[in-house]
Amino acid sequence: MKVSLLRHIHPYWLALLVTLPLGAETATLETVQKSAGEWLKVRAETARLDTEWTTQRELLDSMAHGLAERAQTIEARRDYLRSKGAKDREDIASLEASNKTTSAGLQSLDEQLKAMSVRLLQLRPSLPPRLSTALELAYKSLATPEPTLGERMQLTMMVLNRCMQFNRSIICEDELLKLTSDGSARQLEVIYWGLSQGYALDRAGGKVWLGSPGASGWQWEPVPDPSALGRVARLISIYHGKEEPAFVELPASLRQPAVASLKK
């Protein structure tokens, strides 16, 4: 039994047993046996820790490699975002400058349109009555401060286009006018020669009026020439196709049309 035990004792402990007195052999063997057991436990724990450390180191190496790759990915993403952010900042700065320029242009356009609206309102009395009545709704909208820039532009263009269209046309219709001194309205035959001239014919009363824009607006003036009645009546008949086309001499006014003053 002792011989078997001695085979497993480390040489250091065996030398220690040889140097001890024989009387202490029993106590020494027990001490050596206990120490050897403790040493074996230490060795086993050391082997376990070594194995565990090897396993943990491989895991840590793998984790470190993964973190390094992730760090590279994040750095690449950071560089991309930094570059993209710089480009975005340049685009934003360019857009801000463009917005400032556009805002200044819109403000200038709005001021011009407001000035044009004022001029159109001032010129309305100089328009032929038929055209002025047709533009009643547009003029009411222009007279209010509520229209937006787009609405004001649309209204302004509507008035100008209607004026241009009327100025390039000859229009003949029955119209209710107040031309007598008593202020009563009468249904008369009226023919407009653009924005500059108009003729009102009262066949029953045998009277003719010449209409044109004046200093205080559109005005109707009676034509004293008795022959004007027949000539205006013939002009209206030619317009309606009741007579062959021909040159007809008519009284005229050389006052400037209202639409011409808008171009200045």
Side-chain angles (χ1 to χ4, degrees):
M1 180 69 175
K2 294 180 180 178
V3 175
S4 175
L5 179 61
L6 291 175
R7 292 179 181 176
H8 299 283
I9 297 177
H10 194 273
Y12 169 78
W13 301 109
L14 183 60
L16 181 60
L17 289 175
V18 173
T19 57
L20 290 176
L22 296 176
E25 180 181 357
T26 302
T28 300
L29 289 175
E30 292 177 356
T31 302
V32 171
Q33 185 177 7
K34 184 177 180 181
S35 298
E38 293 295 332
W39 181 79
L40 290 175
K41 290 180 181 179
V42 171
R43 289 289 297 172
E45 182 66 18
T46 301
R48 186 186 68 79
L49 292 174
D50 185 61
T51 302
E52 184 176 353
W53 164 244
T54 302
T55 304
Q56 292 294 333
R57 185 177 61 184
E58 293 177 355
L59 179 60
L60 291 174
D61 289 342
S62 177
M63 291 178 62
H65 181 70
L67 290 174
E69 291 182 349
R70 185 178 179 185
Q72 292 178 356
T73 303
I74 293 175
E75 288 177 357
R77 179 66 176 174
R78 179 202 62 193
D79 295 339
Y80 168 74
L81 292 177
R82 182 177 297 172
S83 175
K84 187 175 183 299
K87 181 65 169 58
D88 291 342
R89 285 190 292 272
E90 292 178 0
D91 293 342
I92 291 174
S94 177
L95 287 175
E96 289 178 350
S98 177
N99 287 339
K100 290 181 180 179
T101 303
T102 303
S103 298
L106 290 176
Q107 184 177 0
S108 176
L109 178 59
D110 186 49
E111 294 175 356
Q112 294 177 9
L113 286 175
K114 288 180 179 179
M116 178 65 74
S117 299
V118 173
R119 294 176 64 186
L120 287 175
L121 291 170
Q122 293 173 347
L123 289 171
R124 184 184 181 187
S126 298
L127 296 178
R130 175 177 292 276
L131 178 60
S132 179
T133 302
L135 294 173
E136 177 71 22
L137 182 59
Y139 269 111
K140 282 185 177 180
S141 300
L142 282 176
T144 63
E146 299 178 358
T148 62
L149 175 61
E151 292 172 346
R152 189 177 297 278
M153 178 178 291
Q154 184 178 7
L155 291 170
T156 301
M157 294 306 300
M158 178 188 298
V159 173
L160 290 176
N161 288 336
R162 289 291 299 274
C163 289
M164 293 297 179
Q165 183 180 4
F166 194 96
N167 192 46
R168 296 170 181 173
S169 304
I170 298 175
I171 299 174
C172 183
E173 296 286 345
D174 291 344
E175 190 172 345
L176 193 63
L177 297 178
K178 296 180 180 180
L179 301 179
T180 58
S181 58
D182 58 359
S184 60
R186 299 185 61 182
Q187 191 82 11
L188 303 176
E189 296 178 74
V190 181
I191 183 169
Y192 291 102
W193 206 276
L195 296 175
S196 60
Q197 305 292 330
Y199 302 93
L201 174 63
D202 181 6
R203 292 180 185 269
K207 296 180 180 180
V208 175
W209 287 266
L210 170 64
S212 60
S216 59
W218 186 271
Q219 57 189 18
W220 294 100
E221 299 177 349
V223 180
D225 185 2
S227 64
L229 177 66
R231 287 179 293 183
V232 172
R234 185 182 180 189
L235 176 66
I236 294 176
S237 297
I238 292 174
Y239 177 87
H240 290 297
K242 296 179 180 180
E243 293 189 28
E244 294 294 328
F247 289 103
V248 179
E249 294 183 2
L250 294 171
S253 173
L254 298 180
R255 297 187 184 98
Q256 187 182 43
V259 71
S261 62
L262 291 175
K263 300 179 181 179
K264 294 184 178 180

